[in-house]
Amino acid sequence: MTNLHFKLSTLAISLAVAGLCTGVVAAEAPNVQVAKTQEPKKAKEYIEQIVVTGTASGKSMKKVDASYAITTIDAESIERLAPKSTADLFKAVPGVWAESSGGVSGANVFVRGFPGGGDAPFLTVQLQGVPVYQPSTLSFLENSSLFRIDETVQFMDALRGGPSSVVSAGQPGLTTNFILKEGSDATEGRFKYSTSDYGLQRVDAVVSGSLAEDLYFMAGGYAQESSGIRDAGFNSEKGQQFTVNITKVLDNGKLNLFTRVTDDHGAWYLPTPLVAGVDNSYTQVGPLNRQATIEFGPNGESKAIDIGDGRGWKGAISGGSLDLDFDGGWSLVDRFAYTSGDANTLGLVPDGSPVALSTVADNGVSAIGAVSQKTYGGDTLVQQLGRWVVLKNIEALTNDLAMTKKSDSYQATLGLYRSDYSVKDWWSLGNRAYHLVQAGGEALTGIECNPDKGSCLNYDINAVGDGKTSAFYGAFEYTFSDQWSADIGLRNENHQIDYTVDEGLDGVINKSVDYDQTDLSWTAGINWQFSDNAGVFLRASEGSKMPSFDDFRDNYDAYTKGENLIKDVTQYELGYKLALDNLNLYATGFFNEVKGDTFVRKPGDPAEVLTNEAYGLELDAAYFNDSGFSINMNGTLQSTEITESPINKGNEAQRQPKWQIRLTPSYDFEVAGLDSTLYGTLSAVGDRYGNNENTVVLDGYEKLDIGLIVRTDGGLKFELVMQNVTDEDALTEGDPRSADAANGRYIMPRTTTFNVSYDF
């Protein structure tokens, strides 16, 4: 590993010369044509594929010209993938391992070899080129929980690797940028109704058009409810969303304003017992246990809760952009957004393995159901579950301003990024009680908490924090010839955090943070475009992940001893790109090193400080022929190693497979005079370790999805989708809070969804 690191470092330094600091921005996107999403793809779309993420100037470019790894997924592809959550869509991105088995919110997302024990520490989600929230992860909140996919989305770009470490939020890992549809001179839209075998009722609608000359609108949203993919016995998933996007075309540019209001939540699916009778359809929460009373604080105050509220987002993201071109090759792009709302979490969290009731009952024989008043015998299987409550309010105001000068041979950009953000946290973690091991199993009385039967302690906090991230960035690209170009970019970021924590809810501040640190990031690359349709690039970068509020609480001793808690990320990428009339192929070799990563098994536990290295290859390919057949493929092959750790040095990083591949074939045909498409997706992943100790092995698995679309000339479209056709019982993770406990979280069970839509 050390020799590889040295060789890559030497090669990158010898080839890295001046160039463009590529960032993460929303560029001018083409006007939406909703009805055209019914048409089969044309081969020329591959060669002309446009990306809008990763360009410091804010202007779009051909994907084949980009000197970094990026994937674009359009609205039609999103529809065929039928993601059950935002994070579920990320499975289609090479180099990304997404665990979306927790429900509509609260996913775990890992980026090609970057370490992590949960949530999504190296993922930034953007809307119209602006981060939805500056910190990529807080405890019980990662960026994808703040965004819902619907018919208002035109496409998503997913940028991995070095370029994004310099501009925008400075995310060194994965940046996913969702671009909204825009209006045009023609009034058009879509109405869509969806249902499923798990009781889904969902209505989507979108309409776009012209309000006046050069003034366009798009408006749309959805309302939905269901008992959940894992049937909770009540409407455990429900919500609605509404989005408006206004575009004014100016003489020298464009002004865009949008707002997106969301109120959507679903049950929090947690690791379940790995025992007979429990499968991928099992969920702990149900009508007999969703209503509960928790106790908190030193005086044992009580509060009634509804665990059925699960995880979700109730808030709004509003913003826009101003994109102007001036004489002499000058341009200005300003992007801004304001985010505010509540992202709460309530759930039944397992604490230890399931056991026989006789081993924990006070009388050693039986216990009584809290609801049914039924007496259960000693051989009844029970499990201790914590009734966890996290109330979280967040707010953020973000602005990203960039000025660019472009000539025939060079392009230079100067930018200023600023984000002010805050969090208010109220937690009560614990409130344990034994429950029956059955779907929605009721709690039991007659079992008093004592240390011999499990932890009795709660972890209660009241915390408030304010943060400011300010960054100046510069970029320069020089074109040597039609084939050769090079770029360099620098980012100087100042990060300030004010944060206080009352642990125990006794009114006493136990932890106080006044943090002010500055760090420098850079990226450099060289691009050889040896033909219009093919090229090779080499990129090196050094970025950082600055600490957020929870990092200080979890690592408070280290902070008070003077450690800056910054995670340093070094990356090297070597990429090949090919875009022919009927074939796309993008292959990127990568090497990552992350120093200073911290892993906290559960709140209140001491942090483990690690250094991780990873190298591998990611593939992103697509093929199309005139007979109507096409196939998309993405895959990742990687090797990970914990190179520095008090106890786990030499082990592999947890929760990341050595290999994964996803094949999505599609065939367009005509039946009874109707245009039809048959498609499917086969996903396969290798074994993973469930913990850094590498003592828990999570077996690899295969998953098959299929779908059929039938279109009429009148604008009607019918679609039938079945996911996890073979009803695979595969685990995405074990028990992250207790690696030895017999618990795990399954992928979603087999589901069938039907929808009918009308385009006009």
Side-chain angles (χ1 to χ4, degrees):
M1 188 77 68
T2 302
N3 290 335
L4 176 63
H5 190 181
F6 174 77
K7 292 176 182 178
L8 286 171
S9 301
T10 304
L11 182 61
I13 293 172
S14 65
L15 292 178
V17 292
L20 171 66
C21 163
T22 51
V24 183
V25 298
E28 182 172 351
N31 289 341
V32 63
Q33 300 292 333
V34 176
K36 290 185 179 179
T37 61
Q38 293 194 55
E39 298 178 0
K41 284 183 179 292
K42 306 301 182 185
K44 68 177 183 178
E45 289 184 7
Y46 288 125
I47 191 172
E48 295 176 353
Q49 195 171 30
I50 301 298
V51 298
V52 299
T53 306
T55 60
S57 64
K59 306 300 181 183
S60 60
M61 66 185 302
K62 290 198 301 183
K63 179 179 176 180
V64 73
D65 293 336
S67 59
Y68 45 83
I70 188 168
T71 296
T72 295
I73 303 176
D74 61 18
E76 181 183 0
S77 298
I78 292 174
E79 186 173 23
R80 292 186 184 185
L81 291 168
K84 293 295 190 288
S85 65
T86 302
D88 206 33
L89 177 62
F90 301 157
K91 295 176 182 178
V93 180
V96 175
W97 172 248
E99 297 174 350
S100 56
S101 52
V104 297
S105 296
N108 303 313
V109 182
F110 306 105
V111 186
R112 55 184 190 192
F114 282 65
D119 293 317
F122 292 99
L123 164 69
T124 292
V125 174
Q126 295 189 339
L127 177 58
Q128 298 287 85
V130 187
V132 296
Y133 190 62
Q134 171 67 26
S136 53
T137 286
L138 302 179
S139 294
F140 304 101
L141 177 66
E142 41 75 40
N143 272 196
S144 77
S145 294
L146 305 177
F147 189 85
R148 301 291 184 274
I149 298 172
D150 63 11
E151 295 292 328
T152 65
V153 173
Q154 184 175 356
F155 64 90
M156 180 199 77
D157 280 346
L159 170 64
R160 289 90 65 201
S164 61
S165 63
V166 171
V167 300
S168 189
Q171 171 61 262
L174 169 68
T175 297
T176 58
N177 185 16
F178 290 88
I179 302 300
L180 296 173
K181 294 175 179 177
E182 294 182 358
S184 64
D185 289 328
T187 299
E188 52 194 5
R190 168 176 291 178
F191 178 84
K192 180 178 178 181
Y193 170 72
S194 304
T195 188
S196 73
D197 59 353
Y198 55 89
L200 174 67
Q201 293 277 84
R202 175 165 173 146
V203 175
D204 286 81
V206 63
V207 63
S208 63
S210 174
L211 294 171
E213 184 177 1
D214 294 331
L215 181 63
Y216 304 102
F217 78 95
M218 183 278 297
Y222 70 85
Q224 64 91 24
E225 64 178 32
S226 78
S227 59
I229 298 175
R230 297 184 173 121
D231 187 2
F234 62 94
N235 280 334
S236 63
E237 294 183 0
K238 54 186 175 182
Q240 57 275 331
Q241 180 170 268
F242 182 70
T243 304
V244 175
N245 192 29
I246 304 295
T247 304
K248 172 63 177 177
V249 177
L250 308 173
D251 291 339
N252 63 334
K254 182 175 72 172
L255 172 66
N256 171 253
L257 297 171
F258 69 88
T259 188
R260 190 175 186 87
V261 181
T262 308
D263 183 359
D264 189 288
H265 66 85
W268 183 20
Y269 300 142
L270 287 140
T272 57
L274 302 179
V275 297
V278 174
D279 57 19
N280 58 22
S281 65
Y282 180 96
T283 181
Q284 294 97 334
V285 67
L288 296 183
N289 61 34
R290 61 180 289 192
Q291 291 180 280
T293 299
I294 61 171
E295 294 184 355
F296 54 89
N299 300 319
E301 297 178 64
S302 62
K303 178 182 179 71
I305 61 168
D306 181 1
I307 297 171
D309 287 342
R311 301 186 75 158
W313 167 240
K314 183 178 181 180
I317 305 171
S318 303
S321 63
L322 179 64
D323 186 344
L324 299 174
D325 294 321
F326 302 100
D327 295 337
W330 289 93
S331 64
L332 178 147
V333 176
D334 187 52
R335 300 167 299 278
F336 51 91
Y338 174 70
T339 300
S340 179
D342 297 317
N344 299 334
T345 295
L346 296 92
L348 294 173
V349 180
D351 184 10
S353 301
V355 297
L357 175 57
S358 60
T359 64
V360 294
D362 290 345
N363 60 15
V365 177
S366 62
I368 299 173
V371 178
S372 68
Q373 297 299 303
K374 177 181 176 180
T375 299
Y376 294 93
D379 59 350
T380 303
L381 202 60
V382 298
Q383 184 177 34
Q384 188 167 227
L385 304 177
R387 291 162 287 192
W388 286 21
V389 177
V390 175
L391 307 180
K392 189 182 299 286
N393 176 267
I394 63 169
E395 188 175 13
L397 178 62
T398 302
N399 194 86
D400 188 3
L401 174 67
M403 177 71 77
T404 300
K405 165 65 176 176
K406 185 176 182 180
S407 73
D408 292 338
S409 59
Y410 74 87
Q411 180 170 283
T413 298
L414 289 176
L416 172 63
Y417 176 87
R418 173 66 180 265
S419 184
D420 290 24
Y421 46 94
S422 66
V423 65
K424 295 180 181 179
D425 265 326
W426 188 95
W427 300 5
S428 180
L429 311 185
N431 285 284
R432 297 162 179 85
Y434 279 93
H435 291 67
L436 297 178
V437 176
Q438 63 183 42
E442 64 179 323
L444 301 175
T445 61
I447 309 178
E448 294 297 328
C449 186
N450 67 65
D452 294 333
K453 299 171 184 175
S455 173
C456 304
L457 299 177
N458 280 11
Y459 184 71
D460 301 335
I461 70 169
N462 185 10
V464 294
D466 292 289
K468 294 181 176 65
T469 296
S470 304
F472 290 95
Y473 58 90
F476 187 78
E477 176 187 12
Y478 190 80
T479 302
F480 299 98
S481 67
D482 291 340
Q483 294 186 333
W484 289 92
S485 64
D487 64 82
I488 190 169
L490 296 173
R491 174 190 181 89
N492 188 67
E493 176 176 315
N494 177 254
H495 191 67
Q496 301 177 37
I497 296 289
D498 294 303
Y499 182 55
T500 55
V501 185
D502 165 12
E503 290 184 314
L505 302 181
D506 56 5
V508 177
I509 301 301
N510 307 98
K511 296 176 179 178
S512 177
V513 174
D514 183 5
Y515 182 86
D516 191 335
Q517 290 284 337
T518 299
D519 198 52
L520 183 69
S521 300
W522 59 268
T523 184
I526 188 166
N527 188 51
W528 178 29
Q529 204 70 25
F530 50 80
S531 75
D532 290 341
N533 304 330
V536 175
F537 69 86
L538 176 70
R539 179 163 296 280
S541 67
E542 193 163 293
S544 60
K545 183 182 182 299
M546 305 296 272
S548 62
F549 308 110
D550 304 272
D551 296 312
F552 294 102
R553 188 192 63 253
D554 293 338
N555 302 276
Y556 192 69
D557 288 344
Y559 163 70
T560 56
K561 292 176 182 178
E563 294 188 24
N564 61 26
L565 303 183
I566 298 173
K567 297 177 178 65
D568 296 312
V569 180
T570 302
Q571 300 183 77
Y572 304 103
E573 297 166 283
L574 177 63
Y576 172 76
K577 45 196 179 173
L578 175 69
L580 302 177
D581 288 347
N582 63 346
L583 175 66
N584 261 357
L585 175 61
Y586 297 89
T588 304
F590 61 88
F591 175 85
N592 308 325
E593 181 185 65
V594 181
K595 292 183 177 180
D597 180 64
T598 57
F599 172 63
V600 178
R601 196 168 301 279
K602 58 184 177 181
D605 281 4
E608 303 170 29
V609 182
L610 313 168
T611 294
N612 285 65
E613 291 184 358
Y615 65 91
L617 175 69
E618 63 178 33
L619 297 172
D620 188 358
Y623 170 78
F624 175 89
N625 65 34
D626 292 334
S627 68
F629 175 77
S630 66
I631 186 168
N632 291 75
M633 184 274 285
N634 73 70
T636 307
L637 179 68
Q638 67 177 359
S639 175
T640 65
E641 182 181 355
I642 300 173
T643 58
E644 294 182 21
S645 168
I647 55 176
N648 295 314
K649 183 177 179 179
N651 289 351
E652 294 182 19
Q654 64 173 317
R655 308 260 286 276
Q656 297 202 46
K658 294 180 181 179
W659 63 270
Q660 57 177 314
I661 189 170
R662 187 182 184 101
L663 299 172
T664 306
S666 175
Y667 180 65
D668 297 323
F669 61 98
E670 185 176 303
V671 57
L674 300 175
D675 291 331
S676 304
T677 301
L678 180 66
Y679 64 92
T681 299
L682 175 63
S683 305
V685 301
D687 295 347
R688 296 137 288 136
Y689 287 112
N691 58 350
N692 285 331
E693 290 76 22
N694 289 181
T695 59
V696 177
V697 178
L698 302 172
D699 293 335
Y701 63 89
E702 299 79 38
K703 175 175 172 283
L704 175 65
D705 308 326
I706 59 174
L708 174 66
I709 299 173
V710 177
R711 311 172 187 86
T712 72
D713 293 336
L716 282 174
K717 182 173 72 172
F718 304 89
E719 184 170 18
L720 182 66
V721 182
M722 179 179 290
Q723 295 186 315
N724 194 3
V725 173
T726 60
D727 205 22
E728 183 80 12
D729 267 344
L731 295 176
T732 62
E733 62 179 280
D735 189 333
R737 300 166 187 85
S738 179
D740 296 329
N743 301 309
R745 184 148 54 182
Y746 290 103
I747 65 174
M748 295 299 183
R750 178 172 54 228
T751 60
T752 302
T753 305
F754 173 77
N755 66 71
V756 56
S757 61
Y758 174 66
D759 291 345
F760 58 89

